[in-house]
Amino acid sequence: MKHQSTLQQTVADLVDAHRGILAADESHPTMAKRFQPIGVEPSEETRRAWRSLLVTTPGLGQYISGIILFEETLEQKTADGTPIAEAAWAQNIVPGIKVDKGKIPLALSPGDLITQGLDGLAERLQTYQAQGARFAKWREVYAIEATAPSRHGIEANAEMLARYAAVCQAQGIVPIVEPEVLMDGSHDIDRHAEVTERVLHAVFHALHRHGVCLELMLLKPNMVLPGKACRRAPADEVAAATLKVLRHTVPAAVPSIHFLSGGQEPEEATANLNAINQQRGNAPWQLSISYGRALQQPALQAWNGQAEKVAAAQQALLKRARLNSLARAGNYAVAMEREE
Ligand code: 13P
């Protein structure tokens, strides 16, 4: 492969036994949704202030190896004029970029969704690379309904992920492949497991068809959970169900699995990661995070858009990053939440 050594270096920079990836790549509407409860007006300037706060958190690089940014952020600077991507590098954090253009309904297929954004992707990746990005993310979304996702919906989504990943590798950008089976709804954990297993099988078949090198990509899946409308499952149950599906579907060549948080509460997402690593046995991959909400939510609440709260917000982020790092080794305990 043309860019093999570049890709290998990026994987080596992103993957280790202690750190995870921070997802800070919310689209404008999603960022507005996150700002709304804390009364922050969404604008280019408030988004810049928020992402600068995240990336300049002192010590973040101890626990975070990569940050996924949104297109706009790659052009923004921190208060002292440093490009945000450069500020990430300064902390030993690799900047990445979300490259998909969001989901739409899959035509003629009620309940199925499909993600757009392949047109011109290679050229866009060259621009992002010049701005400092070394890896990318693309998310396909699967909602669980009585008859969805359908078989051809799952196939169509897998094809998109594989085409995206192939374009990335051809350009020297490490792809994060993100198939997210949503936890919205009233399905039980077995149904979530069944759908996640079908989805991951299809994704790895498609990656194989498209010649994607598994050693040079990262997987960002959901954990296996009961629907949000059901009672919460204990962490050891989530861990067992999640590991079972991953063992059935994810080849050992994939270096690292980075879970999304998907609407879990921050402490719940950390406890589940901890249980997964306690039960990992001889699993061949690193089992890490690429959380958005579960890392950012407490920090957002501490910040409230106020300049004098920046340090408190950064402390809240660092705490979640540190506890998730402990959970990577199965060394997290709920009591740590109460410690200073
Ligand atoms: P959450 O952890 O908030 O689900 O976000 C991760 C992400 O990047 C979704 O695409």
Side-chain angles (χ1 to χ4, degrees), residues 136-303:
K137 181 197 105 169
W138 180 294
R139 171 175 177 251
E140 293 290 331
V141 185
Y142 311 78
I144 296 188
E145 292 173 17
T147 57
S150 70
R151 183 172 176 172
H152 66 277
I154 287 174
E155 292 297 329
N157 280 273
E159 197 67 16
M160 295 300 280
L161 281 169
R163 288 184 59 196
Y164 140 79
V167 173
C168 285
Q169 289 189 341
Q171 295 297 325
I173 291 276
V174 169
I176 294 188
V177 171
E178 180 181 4
E180 176 175 4
V181 182
L182 297 175
M183 61 185 279
D184 300 324
S186 56
H187 53 268
D188 61 15
I189 192 167
D190 292 341
R191 171 89 168 121
H192 204 230
E194 173 224 319
V195 175
T196 303
E197 185 155 333
R198 281 199 284 139
V199 162
L200 289 174
H201 267 303
V203 167
F204 280 99
H205 278 280
L207 290 166
H208 174 72
R209 281 198 302 279
H210 286 263
V212 172
C213 176
L214 300 182
E215 286 83 350
L216 300 174
M217 61 158 273
L218 306 176
L219 179 69
K220 175 165 175 169
N222 50 280
M223 290 179 184
V224 174
L225 301 156
K228 253 188 223 161
C230 295
R231 76 172 173 87
R232 194 189 279 186
D236 56 353
E237 196 181 318
V238 171
T242 301
L243 285 164
K244 182 174 178 190
V245 168
L246 295 175
R247 285 198 177 99
H248 286 180
T249 52
V250 185
V254 174
S256 192
I257 295 177
H258 294 262
F259 296 104
L260 58 93
S261 59
Q264 298 177 66
E265 291 303 322
E267 293 185 18
E268 177 190 6
T270 307
N272 285 339
L273 178 74
N274 191 60
I276 287 170
N277 277 292
Q278 284 179 340
Q279 289 183 31
R280 59 169 291 130
N282 60 356
W285 343 266
Q286 296 287 330
L287 290 157
S288 184
I289 59 166
S290 175
Y291 290 164
R293 281 163 286 180
L295 280 171
Q296 291 187 52
Q297 208 170 287
L300 264 175
Q301 280 159 359
W303 179 52

